[in-house]
Structures are given as C-alpha cells and as structure tokens.
C-alpha cells in the first residue's frame, strides 16, 4: 500500500495549485458576477493540459490517469470555490474520457481536439423536466432514419447549454431508442431543430444551466457513443468517473474554507484572545479537518479504483468501484457545505458579506446537494444495492 503521491503527481498538483492561486482566485468574483468563465482562464487551463485531461494525446488531451485528474479537481475546487470552473473541468474530463473510449474514430478526431483546447464545450444531458433520478422513465426519443438519428423531446437543468452554443460543442445525450434500450449520442448544440434556454440558478453562476429542446433534430449515426440500444451502461460509466471528480472538487473547496477560517481565528480577537483559543471553535475545526482528510483519501482511492479497473474495462470489480464512488459523492458535498457554513459563522457578520466571498462556495456546493451528478439519496440507493443486493432496491 502506498499513500504518498509520486514525484510527478506532486509536481502536477503544485502546478495546478499555482494556477488556482494566480489565475482562479483573482477571477473568482468575476466568474460569479459575469456569469461566464473568462476566455483567458480557459486558455490557461488548456495550456496546462487541464481540459479533458484523461483524453489521449492523439486527440489533444494529456492522457492523464484518474488519480492525476482527481488531484487537479481538488485544486480547481480550491481555486474557484463557486464550483463553476470545477464543473467545466470535471464535465470535460469525465465525458471527454467517455467519448475517447466509446465514440467513433471520426467523432473523436472531430470533437475532442477543440474541447481539449478550450475552444468547444462538452457536457452531459440525461435529466428531463419530468425527473433526473429515474432515468429509465425518460421521454426523449431517438429514431433511426437512414444514416441519422432523429431526436424529439427535452432535456432540463443541463450544464453548459450556453457555452456549447457560443463556443461550439455539445452534450452526450441519453435517449430512448425506437428499437428498445437507450441510444447515447453526441449532439452538437448548433444542430437544426435544437433550441436552448438558460435558467436562473442561485450559484455556480460562471457556467450556464438550462434546457435543450429537440424538435426532430437530426444527428448523424457517427455520433453514436457505444453500441445502439446499449447506451445506458455507457452513461453510467461516465457518471462513475464524473462523480469522483465532483467529490474531489468539494474536498478542495472544503480545504480552502478551513484554511480561510484558520487564518481568521488565529487573529480575530474576542474576550481578549484569538477566537482559535476557544475550544468551541478549535474543536469544530479539528472535527471538520479530520472528516475532510478522510474523504480526501477516499476520493483518491476511488480514482485509483477507476484507474485499476474501470478505465481498463474490467467489470469484475464494478461493485467495489460503485461503492467507493457513491460513498464519496454522498459525503464530500455535504461536508464541504458544512465547512463553508461553519467558517462563515466563525467570521460572524463579515462571513455574511459578499466581500469575504465564502457565500459563493455555499451557493455552488448546494448544487451537489440538490442533485447535480446524482442526488444524495440516489447515492444511498446505489450503496444499499451494493451492500444488501439488488433485491433490496426500493423500486422495480
Ligand atoms: C446546477 C445543476 C446542474 C446540473 N447539470 C446537469 C447536467 O449537466 N446534465 C444533466 O443531465 N443533469 C444535470 N443536472 C440535473 C441533475 O442530474 C438532477 O438534478 C438529478 O439527477 C436529480 O433529478 P431531479 O432534479 O429531477 O430530482 P428528482 O429525480 O425529481 O428527485 C427529487 C429529490 O428526490 C430524491 N429522490 C429521487 N428518487 C428517490 C428515491 N427513490 N428515494 C429517495 N429519494 C429519492 C432525489 O435525490 C432528489 O433529492 C443538474 C442539476 C443542477 C442543480
């Protein structure tokens, strides 16, 4: 067992942390206020190889392991705790990897290089207005018509709808196939018959969320990801990967909040001594730090499991992977939320101001509590299924 990062991993982690300190933190307020990630930030990420980093070099990525990507996700969550940059990062990493693995050669060479260069967006579209947890009940259809699929329906609460229209790019889209089963398709947003609408969220303002409506939108068959009618399992693999990076970004945001809090309670006087001298505050810090440290290593182990099994196509250890991934997606977001909330309270009234900026983290992390990349109860259902067996699933 080896708990130390390799020299290469440590050097990469330091480089991404420097990027977070020098580029993300100074831009954090603007990302939140302007409603977009500045082009200069995306260019900086592309230069460091941070966009869709697991994608192989021949398609423009750096062929990074899940562990290296997890480390980068921690740093990006730490640099922009509003989560906007982290969402952009992890969507491209998770779904870029999936397209590189299961897309056709023509689609990989067409779609991935601009995504890795920060010149196009790649996201995921599964959720619909009638629900996101119960994917089997989805209504959007894809009907084969010659060498194309024709899409009808609507996806809702989809990250990056505006970025995919303005920058170019699209979403890996899960649809019901006419032949039964699910078709997973890359769908460029600038396709005739697709309209988008941005929703008004409370947080992670730097990346859009909205709907995609398909009115007989034609997508060439080369955009099929995985086999026809077999798209569901393919999408689930993407979620295993993306959820690990969501949890890692939350760990980074939690560590940043605790560091901000520690600097403050070392200095802020109350009753003649620094706040940090009072056990009521100090013990809270210690309890939170201990939990973050545990979840951080759980995240790294989940990434290691992905490298060791999932990314090599080994399905024999799927249960172990599912348990590890669902556990970190279940614990990291609420823990990060709690860290930010507690530190805001240590700051007293100042914590409630937008100048201190802790509230950006609170608003952003909340997206993962309400459902982004799978609701917390869905993680509990996955864990219950893996611990007790499929016969204990609470639905048929
Ligand atoms: C900011 C943001 C960005 C998002 N980006 C994307 C995206 O890019 N692509 C995409 O496809 N989706 C995206 N989503 C949607 C997300 O995947 C869904 O929110 C999630 O799947 C839950 O679906 P829902 O919101 O329809 O809630 P529902 O499925 O209606 O569930 C509502 C609540 O009930 C709980 N619940 C559901 N079933 C059960 C059960 N059997 N037992 C107990 N509790 C249950 C859920 O956990 C949830 O808390 C995003 C969401 C947010 C908030």
């Amino acid at each position: 067992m080896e708990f130390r990062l390799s020299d290469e991993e440590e050097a990469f982690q330091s480089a991404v942390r420097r990027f977070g300190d020098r580029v993300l933190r100074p831009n954090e307020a603007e990302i939140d206020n302007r409603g977009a990630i500045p082009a200069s930030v995306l260019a900086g990420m592309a230069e460091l190889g941070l966009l869709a980093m697991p994608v192989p070099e021949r398609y423009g990525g750096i062929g990074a392991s899940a562990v290296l990507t997890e480390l980068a996700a921690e740093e990006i969550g730490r640099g922009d705790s509003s989560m906007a940059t982290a969402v952009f990062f992890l969507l491209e990493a998770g779904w870029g990897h999936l397209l590189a693995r299961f897309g056709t050669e023509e689609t990989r060479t067409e779609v991935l290089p601009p995504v890795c260069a920060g010149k196009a967006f790649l996201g995921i579209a599964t959720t619909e207005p009638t629900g996101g947890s119960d994917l089997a009940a989805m209504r959007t259809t894809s009907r084969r018509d010659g060498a194309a699929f024709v899409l009808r329906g609507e996806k809702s609460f989809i990250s990056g709808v505006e970025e995919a229209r303005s920058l170019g790019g699209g979403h890996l889209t899960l649809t019901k196939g006419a032949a039964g089963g699910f078709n997973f398709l890359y769908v460029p947003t600038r396709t005739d018959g697709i309209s988008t609408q941005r929703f008004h969220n409370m947080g992670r303002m730097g990346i859009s969320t909205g709907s995609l409506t398909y009115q007989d939108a034609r997508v060439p068959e080369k955009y099929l990801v995985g086999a026809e009618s077999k798209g569901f399992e393919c999408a689930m693999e993407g979620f295993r990967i993306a959820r690990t990076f969501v949890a890692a970004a939350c760990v980074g945001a939690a560590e940043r909040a605790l560091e901000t809090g520690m600097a403050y309670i070392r200095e802020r006087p109350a009753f003649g001594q620094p706040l940090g001298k009072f056990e009521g505050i100090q013990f809270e810090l210690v309890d939170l730090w201990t939990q973050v440290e545990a979840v951080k290593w759980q995240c790294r182990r989940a990434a290691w499991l992905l490298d060791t099994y999932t990314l090599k196509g080994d399905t024999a250890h799927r249960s172990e992977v599912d348990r590890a991934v669902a556990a970190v997606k279940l614990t990291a977001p609420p823990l990060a939320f709690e860290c930010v909330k507690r530190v805001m309270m240590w700051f007293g009234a100042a914590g409630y101001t937008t100048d201190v900026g802790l509230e950006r983290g609170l608003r952003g992390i909340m997206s993962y509590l309400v459902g982004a990349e799978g609701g917390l109860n869905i993680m509990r259902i996955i864990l219950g299924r893996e611990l007790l067996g499929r016969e204990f699933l609470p639905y048929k």
Side-chain angles (χ1 to χ4, degrees):
M1 205 180 289
E2 175 63 88
F3 284 107
R4 212 164 38 84
L5 302 182
S6 68
D7 292 346
E8 185 211 10
E9 286 162 350
E10 263 182 14
F12 190 75
Q13 185 188 41
S14 303
V16 187
R17 185 165 298 186
R18 273 198 303 280
F19 176 78
D21 291 345
R22 291 180 192 166
V23 180
L24 294 182
R25 287 197 197 203
N27 276 292
E28 205 178 24
E30 200 202 332
I31 290 172
D32 200 52
N33 294 335
R34 211 179 68 141
I37 302 170
S40 60
V41 172
L42 291 182
M45 290 175 78
E47 204 177 305
L48 266 179
L50 291 174
L51 294 174
M53 57 187 279
V55 166
E57 285 177 31
R58 63 185 179 282
Y59 306 120
I62 61 168
S65 65
V67 167
L68 206 65
T69 313
E70 192 276 349
L71 293 172
E74 286 179 24
E75 296 308 324
I76 290 168
R78 176 197 289 271
D80 171 15
S81 57
S82 81
M83 289 287 139
T85 313
V87 173
F88 199 104
F89 167 87
L90 69 92
L91 286 174
E92 307 218 327
W95 301 103
H97 161 79
L98 207 85
L99 189 59
R101 180 124 180 262
F102 297 107
T104 62
E105 183 59 18
E106 214 182 331
T107 309
R108 294 170 185 152
T109 40
E110 174 193 324
V111 175
L112 292 171
V115 167
C116 296
K119 298 200 166 118
F121 177 84
L122 180 65
I124 172 73
T126 59
T127 307
E128 301 196 349
T130 47
S133 304
D134 183 6
L135 285 181
M138 76 170 48
R139 297 177 181 179
T140 300
T141 55
S142 56
R143 171 177 52 84
R144 213 180 227 294
D145 183 19
F149 288 93
V150 180
L151 271 69
R152 251 191 199 195
E154 185 180 351
K155 296 289 176 188
S156 210
F157 307 106
I158 306 305
S159 300
V161 289
E162 270 187 5
E163 288 76 359
R165 198 170 269 293
S166 58
L167 281 174
H171 293 78
L172 300 190
T173 306
L174 197 62
T175 60
K176 278 233 161 116
F182 290 82
N183 294 328
F184 202 29
L185 291 151
Y186 168 68
V187 181
T189 307
R190 293 175 185 162
T191 298
D192 287 346
I194 296 185
S195 53
T196 56
Q197 193 194 341
R198 185 170 184 152
F199 296 164
H200 299 285
N201 281 342
M202 63 175 268
R204 67 189 217 189
M205 312 306 272
I207 184 161
S208 63
T209 306
S211 63
L212 289 156
T213 307
Y214 317 95
Q215 286 168 312
D216 291 333
R218 284 180 80 83
V219 174
E221 65 181 349
K222 68 176 178 184
Y223 286 154
L224 192 64
V225 179
E228 190 170 351
S229 306
K230 304 277 181 209
F232 195 83
E233 191 40 53
C234 220
M236 290 308 112
E237 176 153 336
F239 280 119
R240 285 181 190 100
I241 298 165
R243 282 171 185 160
T244 304
F245 303 148
V246 163
C250 288
V251 165
E255 286 187 333
R256 157 109 178 255
L258 292 184
E259 283 161 16
T260 306
M262 280 191 275
Y264 190 73
I265 63 176
R266 276 198 175 99
E267 302 293 335
R268 172 76 174 180
F271 301 96
Q273 54 182 1
L275 277 176
K277 280 233 174 192
F278 294 101
E279 284 181 358
I281 304 268
Q282 194 184 114
F283 285 9
E284 221 170 67
L285 161 69
V286 170
D287 287 350
L288 291 169
W289 179 89
T290 306
Q291 292 172 61
V292 173
E293 197 64 11
V295 175
K296 177 167 76 183
W297 285 99
Q298 264 187 304
C299 283
R300 292 176 180 182
R301 177 173 174 271
W304 177 85
L305 286 168
L306 292 176
D307 280 330
T308 308
Y309 303 122
T310 313
L311 304 193
K312 290 187 178 141
D314 175 342
T315 52
H317 293 81
R318 185 172 291 161
S319 177
E320 195 179 352
V321 174
D322 280 350
R323 277 180 276 156
V325 172
V328 292
K329 174 63 173 64
L330 175 62
T331 48
L335 179 58
F337 189 85
E338 190 61 20
C339 288
V340 176
K341 186 184 96 183
R342 288 285 154 194
V343 172
M344 282 174 76
M345 289 160 74
W346 300 348
F347 270 75
Y352 200 59
T353 65
T354 52
D355 293 341
V356 169
L358 284 158
E359 48 83 38
R360 276 195 291 271
L362 203 75
R363 289 187 279 112
I365 294 162
M366 189 66 196
S367 67
Y368 292 124
L369 274 71
V370 301
E373 300 289 337
L376 301 185
N377 279 348
I378 300 310
M379 300 307 116
R380 292 186 173 98
I381 288 172
I382 293 171
L383 282 162
R385 180 192 74 199
E386 296 308 318
L387 295 173
L388 295 173
R390 291 197 79 83
E391 64 274 28
F392 281 85
L393 275 174
Y395 50 81
K396 292 205 191 308

